[in-house]
């Protein structure tokens, strides 16, 4: 309010000065001088006209500025909410990892430029946990397995839950020796989980199949090869990592 009053005072003062200068120049051109009545009119008229007009204009401008700021703030809040909802829709509600569709989309976009590796991770003998203790305990086991995976993967890696007890990891720009080491670290991290539903120790293990990314191969081909290596690990006794360093040869 003070700002509006100050602007109104300045505008009115300038109007009075302008009125006096204009009247002086006009009268001087006719060889006359301003009398008292003319001076009063040169002061009163701008005050009567300019003051309310300026105050109204400045008040409207301030109101519009505030409304614009509110609209901008509301738009930013809506955009943030939309982004949050969009991101939430891409995530698995239980683990916070990407859901299957979102993970495959990331893999589809990044495999052409990212010389890394793909891992498929599956919890071993998970049905027995659900059968023995019920699905709530099974869900807790999945959350702990997901947490173990999250502790090993790096910031640049992409992790998704692609099935009931199946996860996938895109190890970004990892050399094949490093990818194999990271896969083994995930396996060991899960193996070391102390899980004791109803006071009974229940081992948790995973089998892992891995393949090197090849930009000339499709996503489905990568998934098929990694899945085949996963089942090779299952056949060899579970709680193993089987890695294929040459995707083309495997295909």
């Amino acid at each position: 309010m003070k700002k509006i009053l100050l602007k109104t005072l300045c505008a009115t003062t300038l109007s009075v000065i302008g009125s006096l200068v204009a009247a002086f120049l006009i009268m001087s051109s006719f060889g006359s001088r301003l009398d008292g009545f003319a001076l009063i009119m040169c002061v009163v008229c701008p005050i009567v006209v300019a003051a309310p007009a300026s105050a109204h204009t400045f008040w409207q401008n301030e109101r519009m500025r505030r409304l614009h700021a509110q609209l901008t703030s509301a738009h930013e809040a809506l955009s943030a909410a939309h982004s949050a909802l969009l991101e939430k829709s891409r995530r698995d509600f239980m683990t916070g990892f990407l859901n299957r569709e979102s993970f495959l989309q990331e893999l589809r976009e990044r495999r052409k430029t990212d010389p890394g590796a793909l891992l498929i991770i599956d919890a071993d003998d998970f049905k027995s946990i659900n059968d023995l203790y019920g699905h709530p305990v099974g869900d807790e086991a999945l959350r702990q397995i997901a947490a173990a995976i999250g502790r090993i993967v790096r910031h640049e890696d992409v992790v998704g839950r692609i099935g009931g007890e199946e996860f996938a990891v895109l190890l970004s720009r990892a050399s094949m020796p490093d990818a194999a080491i990271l896969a083994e670290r995930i396996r060991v991290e899960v193996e070391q989980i102390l899980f004791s539903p109803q006071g009974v120790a229940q081992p948790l293990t995973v089998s892992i199949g891995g393949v090197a990314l090849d930009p000339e191969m499709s996503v489905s081909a990568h998934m098929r090869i990694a899945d085949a290596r996963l089942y090779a690990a299952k056949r060899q006794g579970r709680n193993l990592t089987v890695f294929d360093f040459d995707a083309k040869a495997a295909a």
Side-chain angles (χ1 to χ4, degrees):
M1 191 64 182
K2 289 182 179 179
K3 184 184 291 186
I4 293 175
L5 290 175
L6 182 60
K7 288 182 177 180
T8 300
L9 179 61
C10 291
T12 303
T13 301
L14 290 174
S15 297
V16 170
I17 294 172
S19 176
L20 289 170
V21 171
F24 175 78
L25 292 175
I26 292 172
M27 296 302 291
S28 296
S29 67
F30 288 103
S32 301
R33 298 181 63 184
L34 291 172
D35 56 21
F37 178 75
L39 286 172
I40 292 172
M41 293 302 293
C42 286
V43 173
V44 172
C45 287
I47 291 175
V48 171
V49 176
S54 298
H56 178 73
T57 300
F58 292 138
W59 179 79
Q60 288 285 9
N61 288 342
E62 181 65 16
R63 181 169 173 268
M64 292 300 293
R65 186 191 67 78
R66 290 180 180 177
L67 286 173
H68 183 267
Q70 291 174 358
L71 286 172
T72 301
S73 178
H75 181 266
E76 290 174 350
L78 284 172
S79 296
H82 179 265
S83 297
L85 285 173
L86 184 62
E87 181 61 22
K88 187 176 181 180
S89 70
R90 300 178 70 236
R91 298 281 170 179
D92 169 61
F93 73 95
M94 185 185 297
T95 63
F97 293 157
L98 293 177
N99 56 36
R100 181 182 179 87
E101 182 180 345
S102 298
F103 177 84
L104 292 178
Q105 181 61 33
E106 286 285 331
L107 180 59
R108 190 172 295 113
E109 293 174 357
R110 296 176 61 164
R111 67 183 172 79
K112 296 180 180 179
T113 57
D114 195 331
L118 170 67
L119 307 180
I120 294 184
I121 305 166
D122 188 76
D124 292 326
D125 200 23
F126 195 77
K127 185 177 182 298
S128 64
I129 297 177
N130 285 329
D131 291 344
L132 286 171
Y133 305 105
H135 287 281
V137 173
D139 290 346
E140 178 58 26
L142 279 179
R143 281 190 285 268
Q144 293 203 27
I145 291 172
I149 295 171
R151 289 192 293 270
I152 300 301
V153 296
R154 305 158 304 167
H155 176 72
E156 64 269 26
D157 298 330
V158 181
V159 189
R161 183 186 178 195
I162 60 173
E165 58 269 10
E166 194 170 50
F167 303 89
V169 180
L170 191 163
L171 296 172
S172 180
R173 301 189 179 281
S175 67
M176 292 308 97
D178 286 343
I181 290 171
L182 286 166
E184 183 63 14
R185 285 182 60 196
I186 290 173
R187 186 196 65 77
V188 172
E189 188 74 12
V190 173
E191 187 180 35
Q192 292 177 347
I193 295 173
L194 300 177
F195 188 59
S196 301
Q198 301 176 10
V200 179
Q202 175 65 49
L204 295 179
T205 63
V206 292
S207 296
I208 303 175
V211 64
L213 293 182
D214 189 314
E216 297 180 4
M217 291 177 55
S218 67
V219 167
S220 59
H222 283 97
M223 294 291 289
R224 184 175 64 254
I225 296 169
D227 203 49
R229 299 302 170 266
L230 166 67
Y231 283 100
K234 295 280 190 183
R235 289 193 301 271
Q236 293 174 38
R238 300 187 177 91
N239 193 24
L240 292 173
T241 297
V242 176
F243 214 101
D244 200 313
F245 293 98
D246 190 341
K248 283 184 179 178

